[in-house]
Amino acid sequence: MTQKIVVLLGGRSLERDISLKSGARVTAALESLGYRVVPLDIGPGLVDSLRSEKPDAVHIALHGQFGEDGMIQELLDFLGIPYTGCGALASMLAWDKDLTKRVLLADGVPTPAWVAFSADAIKEMGAARTLERIGDAIGGYPVCVKPARQGSALGIARVERFEDLADAMLAALGYDDKVLVEKWVEGTEIAVPVLGGNGDVEALPAVEIVPKGGQFDFDAMYTAGETEYFVPARLPDDVLARATETALAIHKRFGCRDISRMDAVVTADGTPQVLEISTQPGMTDTSIVPLCADESGLGFEGLVDRLVKAALARG
Ligand SMILES: Nc1ncnc2c1ncn2[C@@H]1O[C@H](COP(=O)(O)OP(=O)(O)O)[C@@H](O)[C@H]1O
Ligand SMILES: [Mg+2]
């Protein structure tokens, strides 16, 4: 009998609309591949719906909280339903940029210098008294202020001078109760998708990201034509090889499976400075991984089929 796949999409995260787009595209691809597909919006009725649908596997097309933070993965593990993508632990680790960077630092993987503050440290421990030291501690301004756990560049600001730091941190704290202040790195922005797991891991070509407005913000990510992409990135072969090796090493180290995407800025000396790992990369018409899948010959349907087959094999 044809296998039944539930596509999880939507939910209450700030990236709900992006997830609806990813989910619709995944649903269409799975249908044309011949699967029976049931799209389900995340809500309090989810477990009951999963119990009555009894899918052979779930494709998680969620972004942001409720999809990338490991909770849905934990729930599906408990229910015994196989799903696409990284497991709970890898998801939790990659979802928190502070934890991610701590692991990278411990492994000697280059990542921009940073300091993280929780709302509690600011409110209860007087951490705000250290703000004037941050610039010197991480190599000077400009800095990038970002929520530790968020996506789609929401809450992210480039800050040119100390006088604007507190406001940017307050704004980022509106998205998460932990914020990072990170050295702003100049260079060539790239993303490297990695597929597979368990010894059978492969990187797709690095994608170079050139936003027309200069910054890769929400609009640059999701408005067609606002960002130019080059596949493979226009970098020397040895630099591309180093970026690919880094992405593969992180995928393995974090215990990722099926898919991940490393975001990095390659500095003038050819070093990929890793910004983050995404375990639920966008699957919309303007997203990087689908573009890369097209350019590398795998195609969007090939990509989705591969993800779902990997999940089914775990069933
Ligand atoms: N330290 C930094 N230096 C330069 N650009 C940065 C830095 N941090 C983030 N950015 C820019 O902001 C974008 C989003 O940041 P990222 O850390 O990848 O978070 P998100 O989870 O929102 O994608 C990046 O793609 C990059 O363009
Ligand atoms: Mg990113």
Side-chain angles (χ1 to χ4, degrees), residues 148-309:
R149 293 158 293 202
Q150 190 46 250
S152 292
L154 295 168
I156 295 193
R158 175 179 157 127
V159 176
E160 305 291 339
R161 48 190 199 123
F162 168 68
E163 288 72 18
D164 299 325
L165 181 61
D167 281 352
M169 289 177 70
L170 268 180
L173 281 168
Y175 289 85
D176 186 23
D177 55 17
K178 182 160 65 163
V179 295
L180 276 68
V181 183
E182 191 177 59
K183 172 74 185 151
W184 187 273
V185 211
E186 299 293 348
T188 305
E189 179 159 6
I190 58 164
V192 185
V194 178
L195 302 179
N198 277 337
D200 180 21
V201 189
E202 126 185 63
L204 295 182
V207 179
E208 179 181 343
I209 299 161
V210 185
K212 289 192 175 147
Q215 283 204 21
F216 198 41
D217 54 18
F218 189 88
D219 288 339
M221 287 179 186
Y222 300 115
T223 314
E226 281 302 299
T227 299
E228 251 189 301
Y229 298 98
F230 298 89
V231 194
R234 298 165 303 170
L235 291 164
D237 285 349
D238 59 325
V239 174
L240 287 177
R242 180 166 177 198
T244 300
E245 263 166 44
T246 305
L248 287 169
I250 297 173
H251 187 93
K252 286 180 204 156
R253 166 75 154 121
F254 279 38
C256 294
R257 69 179 184 210
D258 297 353
I259 188 162
S260 73
R261 192 198 67 224
M262 177 188 83
D263 293 348
V265 175
V266 179
T267 49
D269 64 356
T271 306
Q273 292 280 344
V274 179
L275 300 180
E276 65 148 344
I277 306 304
S278 175
T279 54
Q280 284 290 131
M283 293 288 180
T284 72
D285 288 338
T286 60
S287 295
I288 291 168
V289 175
L291 170 79
C292 198
D294 277 343
E295 295 291 324
S296 63
L298 178 62
F300 189 69
E301 285 182 10
L303 172 67
V304 170
D305 201 25
R306 184 167 166 165
L307 296 177
V308 161
K309 286 213 165 84

Side-chain angles (χ1 to χ4, degrees), residues 4-66:
K4 187 193 234 184
I5 311 295
V6 157
V7 176
L8 292 184
L9 73 181
R12 280 177 47 233
S13 103
L14 293 174
E15 291 171 272
R16 173 180 173 80
D17 290 348
I18 307 305
S19 165
L20 292 177
K21 287 183 189 164
S22 287
R25 203 173 170 196
V26 165
T27 299
L30 287 170
E31 278 169 351
S32 68
L33 285 161
Y35 293 100
R36 280 189 297 150
V37 193
V38 180
L40 281 185
D41 205 328
I42 296 284
L46 179 66
V47 167
D48 288 341
S49 302
L50 286 170
R51 283 194 171 132
S52 63
E53 293 292 350
K54 298 187 178 49
D56 295 295
V58 163
H59 185 114
I60 303 178
L62 298 164
H63 307 302
Q65 208 188 346
F66 312 118

Side-chain angles (χ1 to χ4, degrees), residues 113 133-144 159-160 182-184:
R133 289 191 46 223
I134 293 181
D136 286 344
I138 63 173
Y141 286 80
V143 298
C144 184
V159 176
E160 305 291 339
E182 191 177 59
K183 172 74 185 151
W184 187 273

Side-chain angles (χ1 to χ4, degrees), residues 115-131 169 173 177-179:
V115 192
F117 293 91
S118 65
D120 282 346
I122 293 170
K123 276 189 289 197
E124 310 291 340
M125 303 169 198
R129 304 283 295 161
T130 67
L131 292 196
M169 289 177 70
L173 281 168
D177 55 17
K178 182 160 65 163
V179 295

